[in-house]
Amino acid sequence: SAGISKENRELLEHALIAKEGEAIYYLNGAPETFMNGDELIAARTGSYGKLLLPLSETLKALGADSVSMSGGKDLVIKYDGETIRIMAGTGIVRRGFRITRLNSPVILYLNRAMAGGEFYQNITGRTFIENNGMIIILPEGKCPDKETSRRLLDASARLFKS
């Protein structure tokens, strides 16, 4: 799209971009759809004011080997050779004996685990920017400044204008 630098375009072409209320998201420049079986599932804002994305689909899109739920609430994630556990309804991430407490919990919505940017950053190491119901999970190692972040969000918002 016009008015975006080559560098910023490249960032967006290697990012995951989602918008509140939309089941369509963009992964590495291509439109994808959050699905729950054969039903669409949209990104939604949680009670903490953060945008929540369907956990399993989002993590798999970001390279997780597997995501499974055991015992109704315990999520087991295999990512980059590590086994990571989190219980839905909490923000407690367990990697063996190491425990991280997230500010906002992973929630269950219609029996689907949903999580915010902080969770994906904790699991994948990829930073994110979020504003006005838009989230961009950036390529690994990228941490744009405020001005660049604003431009990336503006450019991303245009993807969802139909």
Side-chain angles (χ1 to χ4, degrees), residues 37-118:
D38 48 12
E39 280 181 62
L40 295 175
I41 186 162
R44 59 191 313 274
T45 299
S47 54
Y48 288 74
K50 299 292 182 198
L51 196 60
L52 303 176
L53 308 180
L55 185 148
S56 181
E57 292 86 340
T58 303
L59 268 186
K60 285 178 182 159
L62 295 174
D65 299 315
S66 70
V67 179
S68 56
M69 197 184 278
S70 66
K73 277 193 163 189
D74 209 27
L75 292 147
V76 180
I77 299 148
K78 303 247 191 259
Y79 185 87
D80 205 18
E82 254 192 320
T83 298
I84 304 154
R85 296 171 187 275
I86 184 164
M87 185 174 284
T90 76
I92 300 169
V93 179
R94 300 190 308 275
R95 287 176 168 85
F97 294 110
R98 283 180 311 164
I99 291 178
T100 309
R101 289 177 192 277
L102 305 177
N103 293 319
S104 36
V106 167
I107 66 150
L108 284 181
Y109 174 72
L110 302 178
N111 268 345
R112 301 295 295 165
M114 307 276 287
E118 181 195 17

